[in-house]
């Protein structure tokens, strides 16, 4: 007998997401394995400077939890203090860069398994694919040919296989738009355990990066607002939208209180916003006028500190070289400096934010993905060194640095054409609109307020062809705006 459930305020439905369950786990694992083909091109998993940091931080967490002592190069700082900070050195390195403690622990445990970084990449990709299955209804599975061809194109030309082969938390960020796209209307059709299982996966994904908290909050507001406008806002929908965010913030407060002695939604955060404003100009101009009379800790460093965001964060004469006391003082005064800078230069600061956001919106590529050098082993964390920026990347990686953005543009055009020609109906339109909103907000948070880089947008854009594939596999809608997924034959009682 087919499983049934009660909608969020409507009648029972059947098999709304047949792959988002136990029988879909094997299929998701197989797809995750196939998506790791870039490891053949790069001769192993891809990684970044922060991979070393997460590994180092994970070992410190294990030491803290078990009361053990440091062991191996990573516990001692890997390649030096820079291993803990992602670059640079200086007196304030210890505790300088605390980001996702759960991901650091996950990376440490998987890297010390027999499969090393291979397992790190495989498991997180497996989870993402399984979460995506929540968006695939029974009706799409009946058109197996279209679904298979589309997913093959996603696996061959989109950004997904590269992020599936990347020993960083980026691929997990895609769970956020998957969840909130599902919450638009698909969530009404899922079994109760499926709804909350997807919410739990989303909470875990939010915890992999502080920036995911405001991104999830923006998506929750957008989705709940849309449901309110369409008359489908229910109490459970509000709970589902907010629960992952509340859990993530609560965890950060608790973990920060224990591990960093700082109860905060983003404990020991980096002053990225201040660094961004210094490079853009307003904070630098304000401090030039206000120092030394203002008495900021930044004034002590202002004359010699670099203004480039990367150099300021990781070079000896910048934040990375500050003392522990200076670091804490800079964190404390960051908001005050930013507010004063904005009041004096509102147009310039707003223009810089919009410009960085626009640049980040279209930046997609493999720029921050580095193959592990031949002398290092992805199976041996104690020998894993920092990426070498001066070493040429394999030709295959370089080629796909061009192929992926071009393919992404083609996929986006195809999606719009499918809507214009009536091949994709209302659910597909809503999904694309929310994904576009996600990409813009993501660009503002990660690029506009930090620094535009390829991976911030690349981790999400594979959802364009993936969603298009699902909606092309669905029965042709009778009209663009009149089609409702809840009335599809496969979702009827």
């Amino acid at each position: 007998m087919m499983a049934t459930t009660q909608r969020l305020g409507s009648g029972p439905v059947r098999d709304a997401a047949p792959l988002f369950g136990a029988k879909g786990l094997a299929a998701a694992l197989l797809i995750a394995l196939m998506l790791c083909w870039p490891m053949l091109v790069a001769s192993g998993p891809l990684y970044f400077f922060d991979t070393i940091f997460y590994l180092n931080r994970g070992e410190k967490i294990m030491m803290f939890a078990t009361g053990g002592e440091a062991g191996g190069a990573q516990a001692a700082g890997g390649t030096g203090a820079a291993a803990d900070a992602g670059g640079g050195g200086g007196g304030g390195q210890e505790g300088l860069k605390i980001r996702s403690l759960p991901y650091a622990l996950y990376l440490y445990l998987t890297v010390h398994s027999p499969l090393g970084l291979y397992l790190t990449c495989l498991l997180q990709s497996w989870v993402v694919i399984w979460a995506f299955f929540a968006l695939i209804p029974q009706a799409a599975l009946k058109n197996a040919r279209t679904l298979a061809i589309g997913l093959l194109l996603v696996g061959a030309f989109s950004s997904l296989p590269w992020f599936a082969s990347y020993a960083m938390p980026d691929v997990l960020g895609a769970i956020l738009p998957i969840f909130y796209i599902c919450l638009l209307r698909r969530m009404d059709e899922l079994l109760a355990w499926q709804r909350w299982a997807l919410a739990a996966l989303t909470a875990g994904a939010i915890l992999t990066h502080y920036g995911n908290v405001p991104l999830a909050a923006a998506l929750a507001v957008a989705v709940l607002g849309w449901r309110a406008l369409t008359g489908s806002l229910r109490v459970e929908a509000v709970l589902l939208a907010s629960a992952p965010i509340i859990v993530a913030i609560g965890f950060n407060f608790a973990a920060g209180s224990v591990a960093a002695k700082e109860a905060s939604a983003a404990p020991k955060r980096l002053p990225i916003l201040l660094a961004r404003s210094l490079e853009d100009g307003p904070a630098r101009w304000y401090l030039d006028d206000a120092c030394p009379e203002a008495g900021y800790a930044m004034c002590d460093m202002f004359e010699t500190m670099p203004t480039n965001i990367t150099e300021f964060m990781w070079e000896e004469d910048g934040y990375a070289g500050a003392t522990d006391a200076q670091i804490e003082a800079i964190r404390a005064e960051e908001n005050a400096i930013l507010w004063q800078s904005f009041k004096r230069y509102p147009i310039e600061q707003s223009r810089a934010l919009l410009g960085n956001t626009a640049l980040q919106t279209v930046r997609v590529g493999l720029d921050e993905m580095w193959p592990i050098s031949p002398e290092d082993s992805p199976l041996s964390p104690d020998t894993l060194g920092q990426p070498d920026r001066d070493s040429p990347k394999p030709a295959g990686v370089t080629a796909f640095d061009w192929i992926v953005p071009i393919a992404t543009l083609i996929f986006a055009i195809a999606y719009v054409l499918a809507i214009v020609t009536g091949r994709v109906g209302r659910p597909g339109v809503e999904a694309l609109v929310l994904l576009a909103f996600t990409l813009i907000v993501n660009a503002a948070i990660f690029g506009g307020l930090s620094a535009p880089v390829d991976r911030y947008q690349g981790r999400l854009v594979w959802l364009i062809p993936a969603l298009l594939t699902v909606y092309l596999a669905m029965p042709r809608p009778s009209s663009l705006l009149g089609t409702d997924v809840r009335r599809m034959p496969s979702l009827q009682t």
Side-chain angles (χ1 to χ4, degrees):
M1 180 179 294
M2 291 185 177
T4 62
T5 187
Q6 190 74 21
R7 289 181 186 155
L8 303 182
S10 188
V13 294
R14 302 176 185 172
D15 290 338
L19 289 180
F20 188 56
K23 64 182 180 181
L25 286 172
L29 178 59
L30 178 61
I31 292 174
L33 281 167
M34 292 189 294
L35 286 172
C36 290
W37 64 261
M39 294 185 189
L40 299 177
V41 176
S43 301
L46 297 150
Y47 77 135
F48 184 54
F49 293 94
D50 284 357
T51 305
I52 305 297
F53 154 72
Y54 281 118
L55 180 57
N56 176 267
R57 184 59 59 191
E59 183 155 359
K60 286 178 166 56
I61 294 172
M62 288 297 295
M63 290 164 52
F64 178 82
T66 61
E69 296 182 359
Q74 298 305 329
T79 57
D84 194 34
Q93 294 295 352
E94 192 60 36
L96 169 65
K97 187 179 176 187
I98 295 181
R99 290 183 181 173
S100 172
L101 300 182
Y103 189 80
L105 182 60
Y106 163 77
L107 179 63
Y108 176 81
L109 293 175
T110 53
V111 166
H112 284 83
S113 72
L115 293 179
L117 285 179
Y118 292 105
L119 184 64
T120 304
C121 297
L122 178 62
L123 289 183
Q124 59 192 30
S125 303
W126 185 14
V127 170
V128 172
I129 298 304
W130 190 60
F132 182 78
F133 282 170
L135 291 170
I136 305 179
Q138 180 68 42
L141 293 177
K142 292 180 179 180
N143 192 352
R145 180 178 179 182
T146 298
L147 202 60
I149 292 174
L151 293 180
L152 281 174
L153 291 174
V154 173
F157 300 107
S158 79
S159 62
L160 177 57
W162 295 94
F163 283 87
S165 306
Y166 194 35
M168 285 283 288
D170 296 74
V171 71
L172 294 166
I175 295 179
L176 275 67
I178 289 173
F179 174 73
Y180 287 103
I181 287 172
C182 198
L183 189 57
L184 274 174
R185 57 173 61 236
R186 284 280 298 155
M187 200 70 77
D188 296 5
E189 314 299 339
L190 299 183
L191 302 172
W193 79 262
Q194 290 176 317
R195 299 169 193 163
W196 289 100
L198 192 57
L201 293 179
T202 304
I206 294 173
L207 282 169
T208 63
H209 198 290
Y210 289 160
N212 286 341
V213 174
L215 177 59
L219 291 175
V221 170
V223 170
L224 293 178
W226 178 246
R227 290 186 72 108
L229 288 173
T230 56
S232 59
L233 186 61
R234 304 289 185 270
V235 172
E236 188 178 1
V238 176
L239 293 176
L240 284 165
S242 57
I245 304 170
I246 294 172
V247 169
I249 292 176
F251 180 92
N252 283 339
F253 267 97
S257 298
V258 174
K261 308 302 181 185
E262 179 183 328
S264 169
K268 299 295 183 182
R269 73 189 188 284
L270 293 170
I272 292 292
L273 301 184
L274 177 57
R276 178 72 265 166
S277 186
L278 285 169
E279 179 170 329
D280 292 335
R284 174 162 39 89
W285 303 329
Y286 165 67
L287 289 174
D288 190 37
D289 292 336
C291 289
E293 289 79 7
Y296 296 123
M298 283 289 294
C299 292
D300 297 334
M301 307 167 55
F302 184 70
E303 293 298 327
T304 58
M305 70 180 182
T307 55
N308 174 275
I309 185 171
T310 301
E311 294 177 357
F312 171 79
M313 292 305 305
W314 310 125
E315 294 298 327
E316 290 270 4
D317 53 351
Y319 180 75
T323 65
D324 290 334
Q326 286 176 316
I327 285 175
E328 293 303 320
I330 290 171
R331 287 183 179 134
E333 67 194 21
E334 179 184 21
N335 290 335
I337 295 175
L338 289 172
W339 176 239
Q340 293 298 326
S341 302
F342 179 76
K343 285 200 302 182
R344 291 200 183 189
Y345 307 100
I347 296 176
E348 292 83 352
Q349 188 66 80
S350 299
R351 184 188 298 124
L353 172 61
L354 293 174
N356 292 328
T357 299
L359 178 58
Q360 181 63 79
T361 300
V362 298
R363 279 201 64 165
V364 178
L366 314 180
D367 182 55
E368 290 195 319
M369 295 184 172
W370 297 88
I372 293 173
S373 59
E375 59 268 21
D376 294 335
S377 170
L379 300 178
S380 179
D382 290 334
T383 64
L384 190 61
Q386 295 279 9
D388 186 357
R389 290 187 181 274
D390 297 325
S391 296
K393 295 182 180 181
V397 178
T398 303
F400 273 89
D401 197 23
W402 289 93
I403 293 173
V404 168
I406 293 173
T408 299
L409 177 61
I410 294 173
F411 290 139
I413 293 173
Y415 203 143
V416 173
L417 289 176
I419 293 174
V420 172
T421 58
R423 184 61 187 84
V424 170
R426 179 175 174 176
V429 175
E430 291 177 346
L432 181 60
V433 170
L434 186 60
L435 180 57
F437 175 77
T438 303
L439 292 172
I440 293 172
V441 175
N442 183 74
I445 293 172
F446 290 91
L449 299 178
S450 177
V453 294
D454 291 354
R455 64 187 177 93
Y456 291 147
Q457 211 72 328
R459 65 188 182 133
L460 303 178
V461 293
W462 64 268
L463 285 168
I464 297 174
L467 288 170
L468 176 61
T469 296
V470 171
Y471 292 113
L472 287 179
M474 297 287 288
R476 180 180 289 274
S478 57
S479 65
L480 175 63
L481 298 179
T483 303
D484 191 319
V485 71
R486 290 172 289 186
R487 298 181 180 179
M488 291 294 181
S490 63
L491 300 182
Q492 292 177 354
T493 303

